[in-house]
Amino acid sequence: MLKYKLSQIDIISKKIIKKIQDNDCLFLTGEIGTGKTTFTRSLINQLQKKNKVKKTDVLSPTFNILYEYKIRKLKIMHYDLYRIKKSLEVKELGIFNDLEKSIKIIEWPKIINLNVRDRLEISFYYSGKKENERKIKVQGFGEWKGFKINDI
């Protein structure tokens, strides 16, 4: 587990950007307010910067369930499954039916009953007394197996 300050989130997202590919899936877990959407905003904005595309607002899709971002030929699907109560609802969303390649970032993924092969699970935690500090735990599967963030 790695301790970091919220101001260092761009460093973490840049490390992930170095490895991320079309069709990868990021599962983000953690209590409300631990930094899942902050991380997603950083990741998308860093990809926009890397591709020389104007930065956009990246909002939490809690009420919309999905926000989609196009960065040149790259498609990012940002889901928030917090309000989803049944796995059938996840199936109806068609998250994994998309034939077009896309990066899927999924907050609150525990309701997903599929074994997603190439995924990176990122867990966010409060760090204790300091409001701007967090902890992060990363676990990779498939192409992400062995991926680590050891330092900032």
Side-chain angles (χ1 to χ4, degrees):
M1 198 157 337
L2 179 68
K3 193 179 213 178
Y4 70 96
K5 293 180 181 170
L6 289 176
S7 61
Q8 297 172 307
I9 199 74
D10 286 347
I11 298 167
I12 294 169
S13 64
K14 284 177 184 176
K15 289 179 184 244
I16 292 170
I17 285 170
K18 288 179 184 178
K19 174 141 175 74
I20 206 162
Q21 300 177 38
D22 289 349
N23 271 3
D24 278 343
C25 194
L26 305 181
F27 282 5
L28 310 182
T29 62
E31 293 179 52
I32 291 174
T34 53
K36 297 177 297 296
T37 301
T38 302
F39 164 78
T40 301
R41 181 177 302 115
S42 172
L43 185 90
I44 291 170
N45 287 161
Q46 291 299 322
L47 282 167
Q48 290 169 328
K49 183 178 178 181
K50 180 180 175 182
N51 287 280
K52 297 179 171 100
V53 173
K54 182 182 173 190
K55 277 188 187 180
T56 58
D57 288 335
V58 176
L59 307 171
S60 173
T62 301
F63 296 103
N64 292 22
I65 299 177
L66 167 66
Y67 282 125
E68 185 177 319
Y69 302 89
K70 292 283 268 181
I71 304 171
R72 303 218 184 270
K73 293 181 180 181
L74 185 61
K75 181 178 173 183
I76 299 174
M77 309 294 280
H78 179 202
Y79 293 90
D80 186 325
L81 305 181
Y82 180 74
R83 297 185 312 121
I84 304 294
K85 301 300 177 210
K86 297 178 182 172
S87 58
L88 179 61
E89 292 176 81
V90 173
K91 188 176 181 181
E92 289 171 354
L93 285 172
I95 296 172
F96 302 101
N97 297 343
D98 191 1
L99 297 177
E100 185 180 348
K101 289 185 177 185
S102 65
I103 294 170
K104 294 160 189 65
I105 302 171
I106 304 172
E107 298 185 36
W108 305 95
K110 289 190 181 203
I111 193 138
I112 295 173
N113 288 333
L114 293 170
N115 182 15
V116 180
R117 187 178 175 277
D118 296 323
R119 74 183 187 279
L120 183 64
E121 293 184 2
I122 308 171
S123 301
F124 297 85
Y125 304 91
Y126 288 109
S127 180
K129 296 178 183 179
K130 294 186 179 179
E131 189 176 312
N132 72 335
E133 285 187 354
R134 301 287 190 272
K135 291 180 183 174
I136 189 172
K137 181 181 173 188
V138 176
Q139 185 174 8
F141 299 87
E143 294 290 326
W144 286 92
K145 189 173 182 161
F147 180 83
K148 296 192 183 319
I149 299 175
N150 295 323
D151 60 359
I152 296 183

